[in-house]
Amino acid sequence: MTAQRNVRTTFGFYPPENNEAAWQSSLDTFMAALERGFPDAVLETRVDPLRGMSVVDFDIEVAPEVWVTGSAAMPSPDYAYITLGSVTADEAALFAVWLRDSYVPSPTSVRFISSAAMENGDETPEPLPAVGDAAEVEAVLRSHLVAAGAV
C-alpha cells in the first residue's frame, strides 16, 4: 500500500456564487466567532497593503496540537473570503467543518478552491459538502487536489 502524499497548499473559502451576502458577515462577527470556537485564537487586524482593505489574520488550534494560520477579508459589505495558508487537506477540513457548521448561516453556503487548482488554471470554487464530518470533507479536499494534479 502506498502512503498518501500530504500536500500543503492554500485553501480559500467563499460564499455561494451569485450570493455574496449569504454569510452576512463582518470582521467583527468573524473574529467573535473565532474567539468562541477557538479560545486560544490569536487574532490581529491590519490593512492589506495591496488592496487597502481591513483583514484579520488568525492562528487557531483546530485540534490538539494542530494549528492553522489564515486570513479573512470583507472587501464589501456582507461579503467574505477566507484563506488558510500552507495547510494539508486534513487541517483544512477541520476548519471547513467549523466554518460550515458554526459560522455561516447555511451548510450549503460555502465554496472552496486551492492554490494548487488555481496554478493549473482552475479558478472556479467548488461547493463544500453540506454534510459530513471532517474525514468526509477531507476526502473531498484530497479528491480536489488529485484532480488539480497536486497529488
Side-chain angles (χ1 to χ4, degrees):
M1 184 169 143
T2 305
Q4 198 166 25
R5 191 166 159 230
N6 215 7
V7 173
R8 289 197 169 277
T9 189
T10 297
F11 277 97
F13 299 94
Y14 303 89
E17 188 174 20
N18 301 320
N19 190 1
E20 295 178 346
W23 289 2
Q24 303 168 11
S25 58
S26 71
L27 283 182
D28 291 337
T29 62
F30 184 68
M31 289 173 41
L34 283 175
E35 289 174 328
R36 282 190 308 276
F38 307 98
D40 294 328
V42 177
L43 308 174
E44 181 179 311
T45 56
R46 64 180 172 83
V47 174
D48 183 310
L50 293 176
R51 295 185 181 95
M53 69 179 89
S54 294
V55 298
V56 61
D57 294 326
F58 59 90
D59 290 305
I60 55 174
E61 188 175 24
V62 292
E65 304 295 319
V66 179
W67 287 81
V68 298
T69 298
S71 187
M74 312 320 176
S76 62
D78 295 325
Y79 176 73
Y81 63 86
I82 301 166
T83 57
L84 302 180
S86 189
V87 292
T88 60
D90 57 320
E91 294 165 345
L94 293 167
F95 175 81
V97 168
W98 171 82
L99 179 67
R100 179 195 70 195
D101 296 348
S102 299
Y103 182 66
V104 298
S106 166
T108 61
S109 67
V110 180
R111 297 179 303 147
F112 75 94
I113 196 164
S114 68
S115 60
M118 294 175 78
E119 288 168 4
N120 289 322
D122 180 1
E123 296 189 10
T124 305
E126 302 174 30
L128 191 71
V131 296
D133 63 10
E136 292 168 298
V137 172
E138 176 186 351
V140 170
L141 298 180
R142 283 191 186 279
S143 176
H144 166 85
L145 292 174
V146 168
V151 190

